[in-house]
Amino acid sequence: LLFTNKSFLPLLSSLLHKLPLPKGDKAMLASALIPSFRLSDLEKNIERVRTWKGVVLKRDLGSSGKYVQLYNFSSTSFADVLSILRKKWDECQAKQETWSVQAYIPPARIRIKRKSYAFDIMTYYITTPSPAVLFSTRPFPQEKANIGFGAYHGQITRHP
């Protein structure tokens, strides 16, 4: 679900208060989620976006990394990014596509066999009879985690 529907993160953020998790687990999950919202809610979130280091724009369905755009405010101005997001919203309405926006958080770096890789941690909420939160790690050589561009597959581990 997380890899095929990019709107999962904004949805999870908005419904977090309803999840049947212990208070401590819910707080940990809330603090770990990357801030995000649906592109259709852009105008309501402009001031929020202004406080970010940049944005990641993702087509919700079937993108598999192909339709993921990174805009770092250190290299692209907030005004230019806002213009890009508004233009994308206009295109989305015409094409009947949905996109999500999330905060760009520069990834941590690690070294694997003397090469530098960016590194991220993914969080999964598993809805089984006993709900669980699982974590996955994934190193990648470029600015975004994309299997097609050399990212490793995430290794899922269970938190006891």
Side-chain angles (χ1 to χ4, degrees):
L1 179 62
L2 292 178
F3 290 108
T4 58
N5 188 340
K6 305 299 190 227
S7 65
F8 183 77
L9 186 58
L11 178 65
L12 177 60
S13 295
S14 68
L15 297 176
L16 186 60
H17 65 282
K18 294 183 178 183
L19 295 179
L21 288 172
K23 193 175 183 176
D25 288 353
K26 197 178 292 189
M28 179 183 65
L29 181 57
S31 68
L33 292 177
I34 298 171
S36 62
F37 59 88
R38 295 177 189 274
L39 180 58
S40 60
D41 293 332
L42 173 63
E43 297 304 321
K44 294 188 285 188
N45 287 282
I46 290 174
E47 291 309 311
R48 182 179 178 202
V49 172
R50 193 180 302 275
T51 67
W52 296 351
K53 294 181 185 229
V55 300
V56 181
L57 179 63
K58 297 179 176 186
R59 189 173 80 176
D60 289 343
L61 294 174
S63 68
S64 65
K66 183 178 178 183
Y67 296 101
V68 176
Q69 301 165 9
L70 299 177
Y71 299 100
N72 188 335
F73 293 152
S74 68
S75 57
T76 308
S77 73
F78 174 79
D80 287 346
V81 171
L82 187 56
S83 176
I84 291 166
L85 295 176
R86 286 179 171 148
K87 181 179 178 186
K88 178 56 72 180
W89 172 236
D90 290 340
E91 291 172 12
C92 289
Q93 292 178 86
K95 294 180 181 179
Q96 296 184 337
E97 293 179 342
T98 59
W99 288 64
S100 294
V101 178
Q102 73 180 41
Y104 170 68
I105 299 171
R109 306 293 299 184
I110 60 171
R111 297 191 72 70
I112 299 175
K113 297 182 182 176
R114 297 184 186 177
K115 292 183 184 176
S116 179
Y117 287 86
F119 181 84
D120 67 5
I121 299 173
M122 299 171 288
T123 306
Y124 295 88
Y125 174 69
I126 309 300
T127 56
T128 57
S130 175
V133 175
L134 302 178
F135 298 98
S136 175
T137 60
R138 176 177 57 181
F140 48 97
Q142 296 181 358
E143 291 300 312
K144 64 180 179 179
N146 187 321
I147 301 299
F149 297 122
Y152 288 74
H153 289 277
Q155 303 298 315
I156 297 176
T157 59
R158 182 184 260 304
H159 175 38

